[in-house]
Short mmCIF file of all heavy atoms in Angstrom, two decimals:
data_model
loop_
_atom_site.label_atom_id
_atom_site.label_comp_id
_atom_site.label_asym_id
_atom_site.label_seq_id
_atom_site.Cartn_x
_atom_site.Cartn_y
_atom_site.Cartn_z
N ASP A 65 -4.50 -6.50 -13.75
CA ASP A 65 -5.71 -6.00 -14.40
C ASP A 65 -5.77 -6.42 -15.86
O ASP A 65 -6.86 -6.62 -16.42
CB ASP A 65 -5.77 -4.47 -14.29
CG ASP A 65 -6.06 -4.01 -12.86
OD1 ASP A 65 -6.53 -4.83 -12.06
OD2 ASP A 65 -5.80 -2.82 -12.56
N ARG A 66 -4.59 -6.54 -16.48
CA ARG A 66 -4.56 -6.97 -17.89
C ARG A 66 -4.65 -8.48 -18.04
O ARG A 66 -4.71 -8.99 -19.15
CB ARG A 66 -3.27 -6.48 -18.56
CG ARG A 66 -3.17 -4.98 -18.73
CD ARG A 66 -2.08 -4.60 -19.72
NE ARG A 66 -0.77 -5.03 -19.28
CZ ARG A 66 0.10 -4.25 -18.64
NH1 ARG A 66 -0.22 -2.99 -18.36
NH2 ARG A 66 1.29 -4.70 -18.29
N GLY A 67 -4.64 -9.20 -16.91
CA GLY A 67 -4.74 -10.65 -16.97
C GLY A 67 -3.44 -11.35 -17.27
O GLY A 67 -3.44 -12.53 -17.63
N GLU A 68 -2.30 -10.65 -17.07
CA GLU A 68 -1.00 -11.26 -17.36
C GLU A 68 -0.51 -12.14 -16.21
O GLU A 68 0.28 -13.04 -16.40
CB GLU A 68 0.03 -10.17 -17.66
CG GLU A 68 -0.30 -9.37 -18.91
CD GLU A 68 0.66 -8.22 -19.12
OE1 GLU A 68 1.61 -8.10 -18.33
OE2 GLU A 68 0.46 -7.43 -20.07
N ILE A 69 -0.96 -11.82 -14.98
CA ILE A 69 -0.63 -12.65 -13.81
C ILE A 69 -1.91 -12.96 -13.07
O ILE A 69 -2.90 -12.22 -13.17
CB ILE A 69 0.38 -11.95 -12.87
CG1 ILE A 69 -0.17 -10.60 -12.38
CG2 ILE A 69 1.71 -11.76 -13.54
CD1 ILE A 69 0.73 -9.92 -11.36
N ASP A 70 -1.89 -14.06 -12.30
CA ASP A 70 -3.08 -14.44 -11.56
C ASP A 70 -3.04 -13.88 -10.14
O ASP A 70 -2.16 -13.10 -9.79
CB ASP A 70 -3.26 -15.96 -11.56
CG ASP A 70 -2.11 -16.69 -10.87
OD1 ASP A 70 -1.35 -16.03 -10.11
OD2 ASP A 70 -1.97 -17.90 -11.07
N GLU A 71 -4.00 -14.33 -9.29
CA GLU A 71 -4.12 -13.80 -7.94
C GLU A 71 -2.92 -14.15 -7.05
O GLU A 71 -2.73 -13.55 -6.00
CB GLU A 71 -5.41 -14.32 -7.29
CG GLU A 71 -6.68 -13.73 -7.86
CD GLU A 71 -7.09 -14.36 -9.18
OE1 GLU A 71 -6.38 -15.30 -9.62
OE2 GLU A 71 -8.07 -13.90 -9.78
N ASN A 72 -2.13 -15.15 -7.46
CA ASN A 72 -0.94 -15.53 -6.71
C ASN A 72 0.32 -14.87 -7.25
O ASN A 72 1.42 -15.12 -6.77
CB ASN A 72 -0.76 -17.05 -6.73
CG ASN A 72 -1.84 -17.76 -5.96
OD1 ASN A 72 -2.17 -17.38 -4.85
ND2 ASN A 72 -2.42 -18.78 -6.57
N GLY A 73 0.15 -14.04 -8.30
CA GLY A 73 1.31 -13.41 -8.91
C GLY A 73 1.99 -14.28 -9.94
O GLY A 73 3.05 -13.93 -10.45
N ASN A 74 1.39 -15.44 -10.28
CA ASN A 74 1.97 -16.34 -11.26
C ASN A 74 1.72 -15.84 -12.67
O ASN A 74 0.65 -15.29 -12.97
CB ASN A 74 1.39 -17.76 -11.13
CG ASN A 74 1.67 -18.37 -9.78
OD1 ASN A 74 2.70 -18.10 -9.18
ND2 ASN A 74 0.75 -19.19 -9.30
N GLU A 75 2.72 -16.03 -13.53
CA GLU A 75 2.54 -15.70 -14.94
C GLU A 75 1.48 -16.60 -15.54
O GLU A 75 1.48 -17.81 -15.33
CB GLU A 75 3.86 -15.89 -15.70
CG GLU A 75 4.99 -14.98 -15.23
CD GLU A 75 4.86 -13.58 -15.79
OE1 GLU A 75 4.04 -13.39 -16.71
OE2 GLU A 75 5.57 -12.69 -15.30
N LYS A 76 0.55 -16.00 -16.30
CA LYS A 76 -0.43 -16.80 -17.01
C LYS A 76 0.15 -17.26 -18.34
O LYS A 76 0.99 -16.58 -18.93
CB LYS A 76 -1.71 -16.00 -17.23
CG LYS A 76 -2.51 -15.78 -15.95
CD LYS A 76 -3.87 -15.17 -16.25
CE LYS A 76 -4.71 -15.06 -15.01
NZ LYS A 76 -6.04 -14.47 -15.29
N ALA A 77 -0.29 -18.41 -18.78
CA ALA A 77 0.23 -18.96 -20.03
C ALA A 77 -0.08 -18.01 -21.18
O ALA A 77 -1.20 -17.54 -21.33
CB ALA A 77 -0.41 -20.32 -20.32
N PRO A 78 0.92 -17.68 -22.02
CA PRO A 78 0.68 -16.76 -23.14
C PRO A 78 -0.18 -17.41 -24.21
O PRO A 78 -0.20 -18.63 -24.35
CB PRO A 78 2.09 -16.47 -23.67
CG PRO A 78 2.88 -17.69 -23.31
CD PRO A 78 2.32 -18.14 -21.97
N THR A 79 -0.91 -16.58 -24.96
CA THR A 79 -1.72 -17.07 -26.07
C THR A 79 -1.24 -16.40 -27.35
O THR A 79 -0.58 -15.36 -27.32
CB THR A 79 -3.22 -16.76 -25.86
OG1 THR A 79 -3.36 -15.34 -25.65
CG2 THR A 79 -3.75 -17.50 -24.64
N PHE A 80 -1.60 -16.97 -28.47
CA PHE A 80 -1.18 -16.45 -29.75
C PHE A 80 -2.39 -15.94 -30.52
O PHE A 80 -3.52 -16.34 -30.27
CB PHE A 80 -0.45 -17.52 -30.57
CG PHE A 80 0.81 -18.00 -29.92
CD1 PHE A 80 0.78 -19.02 -28.98
CD2 PHE A 80 2.02 -17.39 -30.21
CE1 PHE A 80 1.93 -19.45 -28.37
CE2 PHE A 80 3.18 -17.82 -29.62
CZ PHE A 80 3.14 -18.85 -28.70
#
Side-chain angles (χ1 to χ4, degrees):
D65 289 342
R66 292 196 298 263
E68 296 175 4
I69 58 175
D70 62 17
E71 289 79 3
N72 293 313
N74 298 328
E75 297 281 348
K76 288 189 175 180
T79 56
F80 297 86

